[in-house]
Amino acid sequence: MKATVYEGPRAVSVKDVPDARIERPTDVLVRITSTNICGSDLHMYEGRTDFERGRVFGHENMGEVIAVGDGVDRVRVGDLVCLPFNISCGFCRNCEKGLTAFCLTTPVDPKMAGAAYGFAGMGPYNGGQAELLRVPYGDHNCLVLPEEAREKQTDYVMLSDIFPTGWHCTELAQLQPGDTVAIYGAGPVGLMAALSANLKSASQVMVVDRHPDRLALAEEIGAIPVDDSKASPVDQINELTNGLGADRGCECVGYQAHDPQGHEHPNMTLNNLVESVKFAGTIGVVGVFIPQDPGSPDKLYQHGEVAFDYGLFWIKGQSVGNGQANVKAYNRQLCNLIQQGKAKPSWIVSHELPLDQAPEAYQHFDARDNGWTKVVLHPDGGTR
């Protein structure tokens, strides 16, 4: 099968690799029809993680079931399914509590919790930027989609990660109807957090970024764009909230946050949120942070540590929730919102390309080139 293979820092290729196949009775084999490039893929693409050369990228996947193992009861050949990026078993202590991002069965390292397709440090599982994908514990992990999803794949494929992750960030921030919220980052996850805030009836949604195309997408759904290259985002948010600060904050950037001058500061958005959120407010963090980053220009963050404004955070009585999204806790409900026309997450998609164009797509997306806001790859050759 053809697959997007990591060759080294800022180098991927599309080449033939051994076909994915049924390996255990509980497996499902999926022919991938849509697979996204995620901002989290860029950490690996840029060589900032220990992702092994020769492995296949891709954790935002959907497609058609073409084979099932003998132990699969619910999922049928021909079903169109979306796969959570979390690979979970459904029966361990954490999965039973709905914490499928922290499954205790699927990781190989006993000191880890959670696994994912094509992701550094999260197991040996190949990704789905390929023609075929093996799905472990298929009955549990496959979200069977309505028939209309065949014609609306760019909406439904977002259920694999970024729509649930954006929603999760607002859950971590304890967003309630009528709240004001400051979202740092207008990449795909930040935009999904803004969409989620709207769906939850936030009274004011402010999105901080500096890329005009991303801020324009935030504005399309009624969010207030905050350009941090024009003035301090903290000052702008305080002005918009009459000096009070936002009720809730969402961190959707992660450890490779950059200032407008292009310098990297892993603690920048965390500390800006402490200043941007009101006394006794809450913050959700879904931007990726990792235990060690030898390539970081910040000496503390080389060991996974950040200089956090804990004194101000404590004085303000704020609270923070963080971590990967438990996709299965949300994807069925969010699927219903798409099906009923209440949510259209595909508004962020800028490009639909055949799998063969993955190397060029990675280059443009990594460079944050204007207009490259979200890329969907189609192994069956679809384009846009």
Side-chain angles (χ1 to χ4, degrees), residues 203-227:
S203 61
Q204 191 179 36
V205 181
M206 298 159 281
V207 179
V208 180
D209 207 293
R210 67 189 67 110
H211 295 278
D213 53 346
R214 295 179 172 188
L215 290 172
L217 287 171
E219 197 168 17
E220 278 185 28
I221 59 168
I224 300 169
V226 176
D227 188 338

Side-chain angles (χ1 to χ4, degrees), residues 1-3 17-23 26-36 55-68 81-87 116-119 124-138 141-142 157 160 379:
M1 67 177 185
K2 289 184 179 179
V17 302
D19 285 352
R21 58 184 177 84
I22 299 289
E23 297 180 17
T26 51
D27 287 350
V28 164
L29 187 63
V30 175
R31 178 178 61 83
I32 296 297
T33 56
S34 293
T35 177
N36 302 340
R55 285 190 62 193
V56 178
F57 275 151
H59 60 270
E60 298 188 8
N61 307 303
M62 70 173 284
E64 183 174 340
V65 175
I66 61 170
V68 300
V81 296
C82 188
L83 297 322
F85 78 88
N86 322 118
I87 305 175
Y117 302 101
F119 208 88
Y125 307 95
N126 266 334
Q129 290 175 15
E131 293 177 312
L132 301 171
L133 180 68
R134 171 194 168 228
V135 180
Y137 301 106
N141 284 305
C142 289
V157 71
S160 59

Side-chain angles (χ1 to χ4, degrees), residues 36-350:
N36 302 340
I37 298 178
C38 179
S40 298
D41 290 327
L42 299 182
H43 304 308
M44 298 176 289
Y45 176 73
E46 293 170 3
R48 294 291 289 271
T49 69
D50 58 356
F51 197 72
E52 301 93 336
R53 297 180 188 220
R55 285 190 62 193
V56 178
F57 275 151
H59 60 270
E60 298 188 8
N61 307 303
M62 70 173 284
E64 183 174 340
V65 175
I66 61 170
V68 300
D70 292 340
V72 175
D73 292 325
R74 181 180 62 88
V75 177
R76 299 285 184 263
V77 171
D79 284 346
L80 193 66
V81 296
C82 188
L83 297 322
F85 78 88
N86 322 118
I87 305 175
S88 55
C89 68
F91 53 77
C92 73
R93 178 184 301 178
N94 285 348
C95 285
E96 285 181 344
K97 294 179 179 178
L99 303 174
T100 53
F102 304 94
C103 177
L104 300 172
T105 302
T106 52
V108 174
D109 184 348
K111 296 181 180 179
M112 277 292 293
Y117 302 101
F119 208 88
M122 299 198 72
Y125 307 95
N126 266 334
Q129 290 175 15
E131 293 177 312
L132 301 171
L133 180 68
R134 171 194 168 228
V135 180
Y137 301 106
D139 272 336
H140 170 69
N141 284 305
C142 289
L143 176 67
V144 179
L145 300 173
E147 189 60 29
E148 72 161 24
R150 296 184 187 277
E151 304 302 323
K152 297 181 179 180
Q153 294 200 27
T154 52
D155 285 315
Y156 284 92
V157 71
M158 303 305 170
L159 294 168
S160 59
D161 180 356
I162 59 167
F163 193 8
T165 294
W167 188 276
H168 182 59
C169 197
T170 65
E171 289 284 297
L172 292 172
Q174 301 175 31
L175 179 68
Q176 300 294 315
D179 283 345
T180 61
V181 59
I183 299 169
Y184 276 75
V189 169
L191 291 169
M192 290 298 154
L195 174 62
S196 300
N198 280 343
L199 290 166
K200 292 184 172 187
S201 299
S203 61
Q204 191 179 36
V205 181
M206 298 159 281
V207 179
V208 180
D209 207 293
R210 67 189 67 110
H211 295 278
D213 53 346
R214 295 179 172 188
L215 290 172
L217 287 171
E219 197 168 17
E220 278 185 28
I221 59 168
I224 300 169
V226 176
D227 188 338
D228 72 344
S229 70
K230 302 286 180 64
S232 160
V234 174
D235 291 345
Q236 293 184 70
I237 289 167
N238 283 331
E239 183 177 351
L240 288 164
T241 57
N242 298 316
L244 297 174
D247 297 313
R248 316 294 173 196
C250 291
E251 204 288 341
C252 301
V253 179
Y255 70 97
Q256 287 185 262
H258 286 70
D259 62 28
Q261 291 72 44
H263 303 119
E264 186 175 311
H265 306 279
N267 60 344
M268 184 179 77
T269 50
L270 292 172
N271 289 337
N272 280 343
L273 276 163
V274 171
E275 292 192 72
S276 301
V277 171
K278 71 176 185 179
F279 281 78
T282 49
I283 298 168
V285 181
V286 295
V288 173
F289 289 85
I290 56 177
Q292 58 184 12
D293 178 21
S296 175
D298 185 286
K299 290 185 178 180
L300 275 177
Y301 199 69
Q302 290 174 8
H303 305 284
E305 301 170 1
V306 295
F308 182 57
D309 288 343
Y310 191 79
L312 182 60
F313 176 74
W314 188 91
I315 286 291
K316 293 183 79 169
Q318 295 171 339
S319 57
V320 63
N322 65 142
Q324 291 187 349
N326 306 297
V327 170
K328 280 185 64 66
Y330 313 118
N331 64 353
R332 195 173 299 278
Q333 296 96 316
L334 299 181
C335 179
N336 291 341
L337 289 175
I338 295 173
Q339 187 176 10
Q340 296 303 318
K342 302 290 187 181
K344 191 173 178 58
S346 63
W347 107 95
I348 70 168
V349 174
S350 58

